[in-house]
């Protein structure tokens, strides 16, 4: 199977046009590359659901803050292409920032049209420490949607706030796209797969493991009948390794995104923490 690597927007549009003429269902898997089995699970789901699959690989400058890891974010296009070939991806779309944003030097909303998701959903959790992040995400995803014109788009529950915000964007802006959420893929010991795990030293990886352990312990205690979010916070906090820096551990309704006092079905339990210099996120949704 031939996987095409395309970095030009017009070329993608041409391919999409001919697919649409053939009445193909198109699936889009947006990524920032450094692909791992988490990404692969999204691609597999897309292959099962769609006739044609496009994986975008783009480290999006406008979703990184000035002191974040945009420059050192892992870029492994050769390996990524191999993975995409293995999974039968039709097109890998890997544009340059210039192709996506033109000659704009200052990529801010003084020069670029942005999609700004509602304040209520961006001014909390990851958005608190990453101002502008979700505006950058929504803007690039909207652009990718307009370029690829997919019927389905696949996103991981790993980035639960992102998933929530993008579902809201699709609804609010009447986009004819179905967002397909995909479960978190983990290492056998529980660590959620992330491109940023490559930053971790062996010791840091051990510390990081306590994040998924904390979530599992919270779920275990919830299953014994404890629903009070304060008590469950303490349960989780006590499991977290002391060498990591907790940014948040929060309980939110995954329908409304309101904070929850009494944990129930469909509660998002989300953690962000810094392990050394590496910022990691993980979550569970109570089933
Ligand atoms: P990223 O390349 O980190 O922007 O992620 C691209 C997509 O892959 C997003 O929808 C993520 O939520 C998803 N993803 C990343 N890690 C995982 C994982 N461990 N399990 C499932 N999906 C993931």
């Amino acid at each position: 199977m031939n996987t095409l690597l395309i970095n030009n927007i017009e070329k993608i549009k041409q391919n999409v046009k001919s697919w649409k003429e053939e009445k193909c269902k198109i699936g889009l898997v947006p990524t920032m590359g450094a692909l791992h089995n988490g990404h692969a699970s999204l691609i597999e789901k897309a292959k099962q659901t769609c006739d044609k699959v496009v994986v975008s690989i783009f480290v999006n400058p406008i979703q990184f803050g000035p002191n974040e890891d945009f420059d050192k974010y892992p870029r492994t296009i050769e390996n990524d292409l191999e993975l995409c070939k293995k999974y039968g991806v039709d097109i890998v779309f890997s544009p340059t920032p210039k192709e996506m944003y033109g000659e704009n030097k200052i990529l801010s909303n003084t020069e670029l049209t942005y999609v700004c998701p509602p304040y209520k959903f961006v001014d909390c959790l990851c958005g608190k420490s990453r101002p502008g992040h979700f505006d950058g995400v929504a803007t690039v995803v909207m652009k990718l949607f307009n370029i690829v014109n997919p019927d389905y788009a696949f996103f991981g529950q790993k980035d639960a706030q992102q998933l929530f915000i993008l579902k809201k964007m699709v609804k609010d802006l009447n986009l004819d796209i179905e967002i397909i959420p995909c479960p978190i893929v983990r290492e056998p010991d529980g660590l959620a797969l992330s491109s940023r795990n490559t930053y971790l030293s062996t010791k840091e990886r051990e510390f990081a493991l306590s994040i998924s352990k904390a979530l599992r312990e919270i779920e275990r205690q919830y299953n014994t009948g404890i629903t009070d979010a304060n008590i469950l916070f303490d349960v989780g906090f006590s499991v977290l390794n002391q060498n990591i820096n907790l940014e948040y551990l929060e309980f939110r309704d995954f329908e409304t995104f309101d904070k929850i006092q009494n944990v129930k079905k469909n509660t998002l339990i989300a953690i962000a923490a810094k392990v050394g210099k590496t910022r990691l996120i993980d979550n569970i949704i109570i089933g």
Side-chain angles (χ1 to χ4, degrees):
M1 146 112 221
N2 224 356
T3 302
L4 281 179
L5 174 63
I6 296 181
N7 38 39
N8 176 279
I9 292 171
E10 280 317 308
K11 276 212 182 107
I12 293 283
K13 287 192 168 182
Q14 280 165 21
N15 277 275
V16 166
K17 193 162 172 261
S18 64
W19 287 345
K20 292 275 175 189
E21 282 163 9
E22 295 163 26
K23 306 256 179 286
C24 292
K25 290 285 176 212
I26 301 174
L28 171 66
V29 182
T31 82
M32 297 203 300
L35 301 183
H36 50 63
N37 284 339
H39 299 111
S41 73
L42 271 57
I43 296 171
E44 269 187 315
K45 183 85 186 156
K47 285 291 291 182
Q48 287 161 14
T49 319
C50 307
D51 304 309
K52 301 287 178 188
V53 173
V54 177
V55 172
S56 63
I57 296 181
F58 181 58
V59 186
N60 175 33
I62 70 167
Q63 72 185 67
F64 286 79
N67 299 317
E68 294 184 355
D69 57 344
F70 174 72
D71 286 331
K72 76 165 197 185
Y73 196 85
R75 289 162 171 87
T76 60
I77 188 71
E78 292 301 324
N79 290 341
D80 294 352
L81 261 182
E82 279 310 306
L83 185 142
C84 288
K85 276 187 188 148
K86 185 172 144 203
Y87 284 88
V89 170
D90 295 278
I91 291 180
V92 172
F93 176 46
S94 177
T96 59
K98 189 172 159 211
E99 179 69 9
M100 285 297 270
Y101 297 116
E103 296 289 358
N104 284 317
K105 286 275 181 303
I106 308 159
L107 288 170
S108 71
N109 59 5
T110 56
E111 304 210 4
L112 187 72
T113 305
Y114 266 66
V115 177
C116 299
Y119 196 65
K120 175 180 173 189
F121 308 126
V122 302
D123 188 39
C124 58
L125 303 183
C126 292
K128 262 221 156 3
S129 65
R130 307 189 73 189
H133 170 70
F134 288 111
D135 294 357
V137 169
T139 302
V140 80
V141 170
M142 189 68 185
K143 281 171 74 73
L144 290 168
F145 283 176
N146 286 331
I147 293 164
V148 177
N149 199 0
D151 300 279
Y152 300 92
F154 299 79
F155 292 92
Q157 184 204 305
K158 163 84 170 23
D159 297 270
Q161 189 175 9
Q162 168 176 286
L163 175 62
F164 186 95
I165 285 170
L166 294 176
K167 272 162 91 175
K168 181 84 174 117
M169 177 180 89
V170 162
K171 184 164 175 269
D172 289 352
L173 300 183
N174 306 97
L175 304 182
D176 222 355
I177 296 169
E178 191 176 337
I179 301 263
I180 311 285
C182 302
I184 300 178
V185 177
R186 300 176 178 282
E187 301 277 10
D189 60 8
L191 185 72
L193 294 188
S194 163
S195 304
R196 290 189 168 96
N197 289 350
T198 54
Y199 299 153
L200 299 171
S201 68
T202 313
K203 264 268 153 286
E204 286 173 340
R205 194 191 177 287
E206 263 174 48
F207 303 153
L209 201 52
S210 70
I211 297 173
S212 57
K213 276 197 184 139
L215 290 168
R216 276 207 307 277
E217 185 56 19
I218 291 172
E219 193 173 29
R220 199 181 69 79
Q221 297 281 356
Y222 166 78
N223 285 331
T224 68
I226 301 172
T227 59
D228 186 303
N230 292 330
I231 297 174
L232 291 172
F233 177 95
D234 290 342
V235 165
F237 191 77
S238 68
V239 174
L240 287 173
N241 188 288
Q242 289 176 352
N243 292 294
I244 76 174
N245 224 330
L246 181 65
E247 187 180 303
Y248 64 73
L249 162 51
E250 282 198 23
F251 301 78
R252 287 191 180 247
D253 186 321
F254 205 50
E255 283 290 315
T256 62
F257 234 62
D258 291 331
K259 272 196 179 179
I260 286 263
Q261 203 41 57
N262 270 305
V263 175
K264 55 182 177 7
K265 202 169 177 288
N266 214 18
T267 298
L268 167 71
I269 307 174
I271 293 183
K274 270 206 156 167
V275 185
K277 286 191 176 134
T278 307
R279 186 175 178 281
L280 298 175
I281 56 171
D282 197 355
N283 68 78
I284 50 171
I285 295 173
I286 297 291

